[in-house]
Amino acid sequence: MAELTYREAVARGIAQEMERDNDVVFLGEDVAAAGGVFKATEGLIDKFGPLRVRDTPISEQAILGAAMGAAMTGLKPIAEIMFSDFIAVCFDYIANEFPKSRYMTNGQVKCPLVVRTGNGGGSRFGAQHSQSVENWAMMIPGLKVVAPSSPSDVVGLLAASVRDPDPVIFFEHKSLYATKGEVPDGEIVDQLGTAKIVRQGKDATILALALMVPRALEAAEKLSNEAGIDCEVIDVRSLVPLDMQTILTSVAKTGRLYTVEENPRLCGWGAEITSIIADEAFYDLDGPLIRITTPHIPLPAADNLEDLALPSVDRIFAKIQTTMN
Amino acid sequence: MQNEVNQSASSLANDDIGTENRLELYRLQVEIRNAEQRAYDLFLQNLVKGTSHLSLGQEAIAAGVAVAMEPNDLSFCTYRGHAHTLARGVPSEQVLGELMQKDNGLMRGKGGSMHLTSVEHGVMGSYAIIGAHLPIACGAAWRAQYRGDKDVSVCFFGDGTTNIGAFHEALNFAVIWKLPVVFVCENNLYMEYTPISEVTAVEHPAADRACAYGLESIVIDGNDADIVYRTMKTAFDKAREGGGPSLIEALTYRHSGHSRADPAKYRPEGELEKWKERDPIKIYRERLAQFGISEEQIKEIEENSMKRIDEATEKCKAAPIPPEDILATDVYADGGWAWRN
Amino acid sequence: MEVLMPQLGETVAEGKISTWYKNVGDKVEAGDTLFEVETDKATMEVEATESGFLTDVNFTAGETAAVGTVIAVISDSADSAGKSTATSVEEKPAGDNGTGGAEDILMPQLGETVAEGKISTWYKSVGDQVAAGEKLFEVETDKATMEVEATVAGILSDIVIAEGEAGPVGTIVARIGGGTGGTSPKQEAPKPTTPSMDLERFRPTSQPASGHLDPFNEVKTPALVRIAAKIPDGIKLTPVAKRMIQTNGIDAARLSSTVLSRGGSRVAKKDVLEFLNSGQSTSVAAEKPEFLKVTPGPHDQVVELNRFRKITAERLTASWQTAPHVYQAVEINFTALNKTRLEHKDSYKERHGTSLTFLPFIVRATAMALRDFPHVNARFDGENLVVGKEINIGIAIDLDGDGLVVPVIHNTDEMNVPGIASAIHRLVEKARESKLAPSEFEGGTYTISNNGSFNTLMTTPIINAPQVAILSTDTIQRRPVIAGSGEDEKIVPGLLGVVGQCFDHRAFDGAYSARFLNRIREIIETRDWSRDFD
């Protein structure tokens, strides 16, 4: 067991897979020599050499297109898009090329690649470098979408993503890079499509993702101590495939559901999950399904404003406390 | 600097191409012509549905490149990809079947005209988003380079593609990584409905951009299959030896509209007729005669091809429509569609 | 999949299957009602949660099984061997016309609030030739019985709902002219010209985790939970509360009232749990006290009440227990009225073929009196008196000891005596032949129970809830009447009869009721009845 930062876990996960399989290659902007702008890929070029760890020009379309061509013809590429906001620049590959080629070609073409990208706010980078866009990927048929919240999940889910034969978009959270966590030694492979109950409870279920997970946990503690409300917190981890069974089982137990979402309000990941619950688990519900989200605005740069926008522990606490009765 | 590759037709003495290749070049062009013409006719009968982008008049490029390719080489083309698919040896029945949306189609009707793919034949996809496949071809070439495989990736696109971002990213990328990829621009003078000259800053949409990426500027007569063949051979050799990418602009003309829906009324009068005199099949027929191929042999090629197309047409007409249970298959690698448990 | 005896309530360990709605071999769709379970607290319907074929039924109607036992099995294919449905011949989905020209006989509309009927009698058997218009079977509901005729001529090829079984309105009860007959039709479906919507084939075979889903059902919608009890206004039930109420057989109206009374506006899970734990969950038909229990002796005959009587029993009990019944009567002198009646008796009989009795006169008088005493022409919802705009008098008709029906004469006050007489006659005939249409027993605002032929002096009828009053007319017979006064006072024969009313004392009081009754008397005794025969 070792204590790693989230960013160290990224390098560890990539290294684990590159060691295992020679077909795993890695490309991106400033990822090799510089070790990544977030220093998440330091040491990889030293370990695996410049043929397997490659720096690219500022060419997001070329990065993803090349990853796809390589994946189609036998390699297992990991491509980095520096800031998840930039997937808008190369969205054709994410929306039209990766996820549809297998289907359109009746199963002839495969696309076993991973796109890693720095997602989320809290780092004061301003509106175009702070977005949470996992919901942009969630809505496209044929992709898999992952967003880990802890270092050990980073390693395990990254490994699972690399080994997955389908295109996976792997959303790392920029504000979590510095956080620390225990990571077991040895090879770690987790499972996509599995959510994790990170706190057991009986009064209400809280679903959260990435940065919102520690905040939900803190709010749950506070709710337990100060309001006598015992919340179950679920780290969704994988938006596609979605572990609805874990979520539905929890809702059947508690009857109340909250989501804590960093994406702006409209069409966030929680909108889909709450709609499934409102249908399938309707008769388990003891109250309305409540989503706690960032407001539907671009994100400001100033720290007090950005902190106001993203769901905070206090805001999560207050919302749950006032709506549980 | 422009460098036009031109060759006199009657160099019998040093025939670098050879009879076998020549026959194949002709056969492929005829096959493509017949198949595309048949697709045109079937569209009028509402048996080919949706949209279809035909290569009538552009057969020499597809044939010339294909004959120059090794079996392991990979093709990436656009939605105007029937010709390139047929040229790599995919049976016309499967191509027509896909156009007619039947179960015997190349992708059982799931892809359609614009996405013809046969991995088995090295046709790694027809791409409908302009420019998308240029970086993808780079990726396939990167894999070859990484693994030490000797195959080359060929990427076909039209003149209109040269103005989209992905074109530029791909060229730059291919050059800096010295990738074994050949970019072939089929300049048929029209970007969809607009003359390419009206929307491009330079005269030769591809060749005049080559210098921006440190590449040689190459413009060829795309209607002469021999010229195409020779040019490609040079480019392939360069790529296979690790010399990096090439960008070739092949001039041609399309006889029909941009797609079946387009009657092409935007063409100036006389332009089509002028180009029909430079019909690649007409040119090559004469070429064959010059190289001593008999009229009988030529006719036999033509008749056999037509017979094959007729047989394929009947087979496709009789084939069933795709079964409903393939609607949600092959979304994911496990064959299914499930996004949740 | 196995269909288990469901949870029936906190303290309930077993249930009796009262009715099966499906037969072995039937194709069932998710959501179809399979069977009904009775406990001493409640009855509950059990629905199929998956589609398939009902291949095994381990407990039949009348049998009791413990909670959690396997009652039935729904399989993928019609035979339990589990053959792929793609290779077997499929049964045509219910409601589809044209099993090679067969005519489906459906469970007819049985009344606004009636969702199903029980086939009490089959008049034909499979294989019989039927003529168009011929009686096929009789359907019972809690309101009435009804006969259903064949709509076409042909051979009765299939009986889908047998005698003694029930089925929902609109489903197939039988088929005429289909295939080679049988009770579980399995015929080759005609080749569809449009893509079939059989979504079974979308079940992915390589996806065990989501095997219960398909591309058109990516989310599994649960069966609806309906609470039959009337919930008071101003209170809502959370979905989980609804489900718990249904599962535990709780009296939702009582629970809601409890919550309302403590100022709540929402019944949530904790309210239901509280209610269950407090012991209030024992409903009206709860644990019987010892002295009410009956142990049949060796020679006693146990006569089971038929479904109709059982439901009537429930309603009468409910009415009796909720409405404080008060009986009042007046004695009415019919002598003068009778004169007019006798004058017109023959011409009426000649014209209509039936006798002119006292009843239409009484009904007429009552209708007129109701105009003057509108609160008697009302229904009570527990809080409010809903005064009827129309006067629709129902006449309680005894079906020769086999049940009671109350057909309604709409707008009785707009009809004269001959009109009322004809209407009564027509309704009685229809009732006796079980041919009453739903509209003919709906909408009643007042009821008259005619006991005139029983030779009784008076009767205290039970109010036809939610109406607020009911009239009883008993025997009219010759009795001595004091006529005149003072010196001229003498005893003369007269025709007297007691007309009494039971009314719900929540709706109005004795003085109002008395005035109403006296108005009837006044009309009967003083009205120029020949006016009705002009």
Side-chain angles (χ1 to χ4, degrees), chain C residues 356-521:
Chain C
L356 187 63
T357 64
F358 286 103
L359 182 58
F361 292 89
I362 296 170
V363 175
R364 175 85 163 108
T366 305
M368 289 165 70
L370 285 171
R371 275 204 198 135
D372 297 335
F373 293 87
H375 283 202
V376 184
N377 186 55
R379 290 169 294 154
F380 191 71
D381 69 6
E383 275 180 23
N384 306 299
L385 200 60
V386 180
V387 176
K389 187 158 176 235
E390 293 175 349
I391 294 175
N392 304 325
I393 297 182
I395 313 290
I397 293 172
D398 200 310
L399 295 177
D400 298 325
D402 191 28
L404 202 67
V405 279
V406 188
V408 174
I409 303 173
H410 287 262
N411 299 301
T412 321
D413 58 319
E414 290 170 5
M415 297 165 81
N416 60 14
V417 171
I420 292 173
S422 301
I424 294 174
H425 178 78
R426 197 189 66 233
L427 288 169
V428 169
E429 275 216 339
K430 273 183 137 186
R432 293 238 158 87
E433 288 169 19
S434 307
K435 279 201 163 87
L436 284 172
S439 62
E440 285 166 333
F441 41 71
E442 277 164 1
T445 55
Y446 190 78
T447 302
I448 293 180
S449 172
N450 179 29
N451 301 304
S453 56
F454 298 151
N455 250 315
T456 46
L457 176 65
M458 59 189 185
T459 308
T460 57
I462 298 181
I463 296 167
N464 189 11
Q467 292 170 15
V468 296
I470 181 169
L471 198 77
S472 172
T473 71
D474 288 77
T475 293
I476 297 169
Q477 53 182 219
R478 283 172 73 81
R479 288 209 253 121
V481 175
I482 303 209
S485 60
E487 289 273 312
D488 299 319
E489 205 180 74
K490 54 186 189 287
I491 294 176
V492 298
L495 272 178
L496 296 181
V498 173
V499 170
Q501 173 171 259
C502 263
F503 66 91
D504 182 341
H505 208 297
R506 298 173 298 172
F508 45 81
D509 56 28
Y512 191 78
S513 167
R515 291 206 306 274
F516 167 71
L517 285 171
N518 277 294
R519 180 89 183 93
I520 294 178
R521 179 157 66 89

Side-chain angles (χ1 to χ4, degrees), chain B residues 157-199:
Chain B
F157 51 92
D159 40 88
T161 304
T162 62
N163 293 321
I164 206 168
F167 168 86
H168 299 276
E169 286 195 34
L171 279 172
N172 182 59
F173 199 83
V175 168
I176 57 171
W177 284 17
K178 255 192 160 155
L179 297 176
V181 55
V182 179
F183 295 102
V184 179
C185 174
E186 301 181 64
N187 183 358
N188 61 17
L189 308 186
Y190 285 89
M191 161 216 124
E192 303 200 12
Y193 307 151
T194 314
I196 193 66
S197 52
E198 282 178 27
V199 295

Side-chain angles (χ1 to χ4, degrees), chain A residues 29-75:
Chain A
E29 296 163 16
D30 301 321
V31 299
V37 286
F38 300 112
K39 300 283 175 254
T41 54
E42 276 192 309
L44 289 175
I45 187 170
D46 300 327
K47 242 197 203 136
F48 301 101
L51 288 182
R52 295 185 72 187
V53 180
R54 299 194 74 153
D55 280 328
T56 68
I58 303 177
S59 303
E60 277 76 17
Q61 294 190 65
I63 293 170
L64 292 194
M68 178 165 167
M72 281 167 70
T73 53
L75 297 185

